[in-house]
Amino acid sequence: MTQQVPLLINGKLVQSITEHWIPVTNPATQAVIAQVPCATTEEVELAVNSAKVAFETWKETPVGERARLMLRYQALLKENHDQIAEVLSKETGKTFEDAKGDVWRGIEVVEHAANIASLSMGEALENVAHKIDCYSITQPLGVCVGITPFNFPAMIPLWMFPMAIACGNTFVLKPSEQDPLTPMRLAELFQEAGAPDGLLQVVHGSKEVVDQLLTHPDTPAISFVGSVAVAEHIYRTGTDHMKRVQAFAGAKNHMVIMPDAAKKQVVNNIVGASVGAAGQRCMAISVAVFVGRSRELITEVRDALSKVRPGAWNDPEAGYGPQINPQAKARVLNFIQEGKNDGADCILDGSDCVVEGYPHGNWVGPTMFSRVTRDMSIYQQEIFGPVLITLEVDTIEDAIQLINENPYGNGTSIFTSSGAAARKFQHEIKVGQVGINVPVPVPLPMFSFTGWRKSFYGDQHAYGKQAVKFYTETKTITARWFEDDIDNGVNTTIHLK
Ligand code: NAD
C-alpha cells in the first residue's frame, strides 16, 4: 500500500481519519509515492489546541534551553543532510545538488535561531526623567502558523518554525500538499532533537485547512509563502481577523546587462539563474534586459541555454528537473504558445522536450524569447518555468523605469563593470533583493528578506533579521526607583512563596 503521510499532533505522528486524500507523485514518472490527508476540522482544532497548551510551559522556558534545542536540531539536520535532500529530490524532482542547497539554506536559519538570546534582547535607558529608567522586553505571541509552497519544502518551513519557536512560541505548520514528505522529515528530526510535545504540529490539506487556521481565534500570527493570488487571500483574511500576517508572494525578476558587463560572467550566470530548478524559484531570473550594444550577447545566451538539458534527480548531467505537476507543465506550455501568438520571437523552444527513460515526466526544455514587449502576457505574468524572456532598451534609465513599473519587486540584478552604474541602480531600483554582478541575491537569515509591491504583503519581513520582531511583542517598562526606601533601611526584597 502507498505510504500515508501522518499528521504531527502533540508530539505524536498520527494517521488522519479523513476521507480526502491527495496523491503525492514523482514528477519525473507520475508514480504515486504517498497519499497526503486533508486533515479534518477536529484534527486541525486538536493541533491548535495542543500548541496552545504547550505554549503555557514553553513561553516560560529559559532562553538558553530554547537555544540549545536549536543547536541539537542543527546538528541533527547536518547529520541527515543528504538523506533529507534525497527525500526532497524524489518528491520534487529537483536535482540532488539543488536539493542539498534547499536543505542547507534551511540549516542556516536554524543556526541563526540558536542565537536567540542576543537576537531578542530588549533596550534600556537610564534617567528618561529624574530617577526614572525605561526598558523594553520581548515576549512571545502564542500559536503561530506557517503555510508553505512546494518549491522549497525544506528551506521555507525552516524559515518559519525555528525562529518562532526559539522566540518562545509554539507552531502549526501546513506544508504544501505537493511535497509533504520533506517537511515531515524535518518535523521528525525536530522531535528527535528533544522538542517538548506540542511545540510543533504539522497538519496537511489545502484551502479548507488553511482557512480554518487563518480564522481561528487562537492563532495570532500567520506566515505565508506562495503565489500572489493566495497571498492576497491570506493577507486579507488574516488581517480581517485582526492577526499579524506576513505573506511572501510571486516574482518576475529582471537582470540588467550593461554594455560594459563581463561577457563570460553574464553568460555563465544567466543560465543557472533562469532555468535552474526548472525556473521554479521565486528568485529565478525570468527577464533579461539588454542595454545598448549588450544585445549582441543574446545569441550567446541562447546557445548556452540550448546546451542545458533537464533530467532525473540522480542524473549528474541534468541541469534541472521536471515541473512539479502536469498542470504546471501545461501552464508553462500555454505561456510559450501565448508568447508566440503575441508576436515574440521564440529563439529557443523547449515545448517538445523528451527525456530518455522518463516518458511521463513533466519536462519543459530551456526556452528563450526575444523581441518581447511589455504588454505581452509572458512579460506581465510569473511563468515559473525554464523560460527566459529578453527585452532591449537604450539606457540604464530605461531599464530602471521598466523594472520599477513591473508589478513585482522580489529580486533583480545588474551586471556592469561601472561602479557609478551599479550605485545608480542600487539606489533607484524599487525591488527588495538587489544583486550587483550576482544573478540571484539569495536571502540570508542575518538580513531582512524584502519583497516590494506584489511580492510581499505585510509590514514586517519576518524571515531573517526582523523575525524576532514578527514573532514577539515588545513591552516597554518605565520604572521609578525611590531612594527613600533605601535611606530608611526598608527591606525592598519581595518574598514569593
Ligand atoms: P500556492 O500559492 O499555490 O500554494 C502555497 C500554499 O498555499 C500551499 O500550502 C497551498 O496548500 C496553499 N493554498 C493553495 N491555494 C490556496 C487557497 N485558495 N487558499 C488557501 N491556501 C491555499 O504556491 P505554490 O505553487 O506552492 O508555490 C509557488 C509560488 O510561490 C510562486 O508564485 C513563487 O513565486 C512563490 N514563492 C515566493 C517566495 C518568496 O519568498 N517571495 C518563495 C518561494 C515561492
Side-chain angles (χ1 to χ4, degrees), residues 147-152 156 159 174-178 205-207 210-211 224-228 230 233-234 248-251 281-282 382 384 410 449 455:
I147 301 147
T148 55
F150 80 83
N151 68 328
F152 283 100
I156 294 180
W159 278 0
K174 204 304 285 174
S176 170
E177 61 278 40
Q178 302 191 72
S206 41
K207 182 171 169 46
V210 172
D211 285 349
F224 169 84
V225 179
S227 59
V228 169
V230 183
H233 166 70
I234 300 275
F248 293 81
R281 283 185 186 139
C282 69
E382 182 182 41
F384 226 51
N410 216 32
F449 180 17
S455 293

Side-chain angles (χ1 to χ4, degrees), residues 60-126:
E60 303 300 340
T61 304
V63 68
E65 211 174 299
R66 285 183 265 137
R68 282 190 291 278
L69 172 61
M70 294 305 153
L71 288 171
R72 290 193 301 274
Y73 188 40
Q74 185 262 13
L76 264 184
L77 287 171
K78 277 177 76 176
E79 251 171 60
N80 289 274
H81 179 275
D82 284 9
Q83 189 266 337
I84 305 168
E86 187 171 331
V87 173
L88 196 156
S89 281
K90 285 179 177 164
E91 63 178 344
T92 61
K94 279 191 188 189
T95 62
F96 193 46
E97 281 310 305
D98 201 17
K100 286 197 281 190
D102 189 334
V103 180
W104 183 251
R105 293 279 170 214
I107 292 176
E108 287 181 328
V109 187
V110 180
E111 283 171 5
H112 185 66
N115 293 319
I116 193 60
S118 46
L119 289 171
S120 50
M121 295 234 272
E123 297 166 323
L125 184 64
E126 245 189 354

Side-chain angles (χ1 to χ4, degrees), residues 172-422:
V172 180
L173 174 68
K174 204 304 285 174
S176 170
E177 61 278 40
Q178 302 191 72
D179 44 17
L181 299 173
T182 307
M184 278 321 288
R185 187 71 195 117
L186 300 178
E188 282 166 13
L189 290 171
F190 193 55
Q191 295 301 120
E192 232 175 88
D197 290 349
L199 247 54
L200 173 67
Q201 334 282 319
V202 187
V203 293
H204 302 287
S206 41
K207 182 171 169 46
E208 292 69 27
V209 171
V210 172
D211 285 349
Q212 189 181 342
L213 292 169
L214 266 183
T215 55
H216 198 290
D218 294 325
T219 57
I222 310 286
S223 299
F224 169 84
V225 179
S227 59
V228 169
V230 183
E232 288 179 350
H233 166 70
I234 300 275
Y235 187 69
R236 284 204 185 96
T237 315
T239 51
D240 247 17
H241 285 78
M242 312 311 278
K243 297 174 192 300
R244 75 176 57 171
V245 179
Q246 52 159 348
F248 293 81
K252 194 83 181 169
N253 305 320
H254 299 60
M255 175 165 149
V256 175
I257 300 108
M258 294 298 290
D260 61 1
K263 202 166 118 181
K264 209 166 129 198
Q265 234 191 38
V266 169
V267 178
N268 288 346
N269 280 283
I270 207 167
V271 171
S274 58
V275 301
Q280 299 175 118
R281 283 185 186 139
C282 69
M283 294 304 291
I285 292 294
S286 48
V287 185
V289 185
F290 290 90
V291 179
R293 64 170 197 286
S294 77
R295 61 179 57 119
E296 289 161 8
L297 283 178
I298 291 178
T299 316
E300 259 181 78
V301 171
R302 196 253 339 256
D303 293 347
L305 277 180
S306 70
K307 295 193 182 95
V308 184
R309 57 167 196 81
W313 73 273
N314 52 359
D315 172 356
E317 302 296 315
Y320 61 86
Q323 302 307 119
I324 190 70
N325 58 40
Q327 296 75 24
K329 174 180 170 170
R331 188 173 169 276
V332 175
L333 294 186
N334 200 38
F335 272 117
I336 297 175
Q337 191 53 50
E338 270 181 35
K340 293 176 189 167
N341 296 348
D342 289 345
D345 226 351
C346 189
I347 54 176
L348 182 66
D349 190 350
S351 307
D352 297 318
C353 179
V354 177
V355 172
E356 212 184 298
Y358 296 90
H360 305 297
N362 309 316
W363 311 110
V364 180
T367 299
M368 186 168 165
F369 280 98
S370 65
R371 298 192 192 287
V372 176
T373 53
R374 293 168 57 162
D375 52 324
M376 294 178 184
S377 66
I378 52 170
Y379 178 71
Q380 290 288 330
Q381 294 184 44
E382 182 182 41
I383 300 176
F384 226 51
V387 181
L388 178 67
I389 66 170
T390 64
L391 277 84
E392 296 165 40
V393 297
D394 293 330
T395 64
I396 188 171
E397 283 82 9
D398 295 341
I400 291 172
Q401 188 182 354
L402 175 81
I403 297 169
N404 287 350
E405 286 175 4
N406 188 273
Y408 297 96
N410 216 32
T412 188
S413 63
I414 186 167
F415 275 69
T416 180
S417 53
S418 153

